[in-house]
Amino acid sequence: MPIDTVERFLAALSPRARDYVQQQPHEEQERLAAAWESELVQDTDLDTLSELSPAAAEHEAAARVLKGLFE
C-alpha cells in the first residue's frame, strides 16, 4: 500500500515540527505536504542531494517549507 504525501511529509519532519503539523487541520497538512512535494520537484540542488541521500533531501525540503516556524 503506497504511503500518501502527508504521511511522507510527516516522516521527513523533525519531531517538534511533526507535532506542530499534526495539530493543524487536515487541509493545512495537505497544503504543507503539497508545498513540500513541489519543493522536492522544483529545486535542482535537492536533486543532487537526493541521489546521495533521499531521506536527507526530503528532510531539507521539509525544513524549507516550515522555515521560520521553529527558529
Side-chain angles (χ1 to χ4, degrees), residues 13-43:
L13 295 170
S14 68
R16 183 177 177 199
R18 186 178 311 116
D19 289 342
Y20 170 81
V21 172
Q22 287 176 321
Q23 292 175 15
Q24 302 308 304
H26 188 68
E27 294 79 20
E28 178 65 4
Q29 291 180 28
E30 289 178 336
R31 185 190 72 74
L32 291 168
W36 168 75
E37 197 164 62
S38 178
E39 183 75 21
L40 282 170
V41 170
Q42 294 177 4
D43 192 313

Side-chain angles (χ1 to χ4, degrees), residues 38-53:
S38 178
E39 183 75 21
L40 282 170
V41 170
Q42 294 177 4
D43 192 313
T44 56
D45 290 339
L46 289 175
D47 285 342
T48 302
L49 181 57
S50 181
E51 289 177 15
L52 299 172
S53 174

